[in-house]
């Protein structure tokens, strides 16, 4: 179960995407995001771009960890 809500908007050649989920999600497979202000957690993203002939498991990924700041 991926209990995440997302919305995206494209303007002036740039995508902006917002993901929302509970800080303390239910279930054993979910990672709680209970951290102190100023903490950074490593995250990675994958992006499917159909106009680049990406499909199924073929997609772009971040080449290194990104820092999610709280």
């Amino acid at each position: 179960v991926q209990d995440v809500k997302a919305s995206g908007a494209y303007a002036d050649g740039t995508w902006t995407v917002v993901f929302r989920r509970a800080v303390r999600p239910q279930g054993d497979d979910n990672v709680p995001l209970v951290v102190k202000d100023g903490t950074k957690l490593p995250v990675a993203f994958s992006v499917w771009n159909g106009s680049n002939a990406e499909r199924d498991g073929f997609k772009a990924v971040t080449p290194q960890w990104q820092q999610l700041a709280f």
Side-chain angles (χ1 to χ4, degrees), residues 33-42 67-70:
L33 297 176
V34 181
V35 296
K36 296 179 183 177
D37 286 347
T39 298
K40 294 181 180 179
L41 295 177
Q67 297 299 313
L68 178 61
F70 288 84

Side-chain angles (χ1 to χ4, degrees), residues 45-58:
F45 297 95
S46 61
V47 179
W48 174 81
N49 181 354
S51 66
N52 194 35
E54 296 170 351
R55 64 192 192 318
D56 301 325
F58 301 105

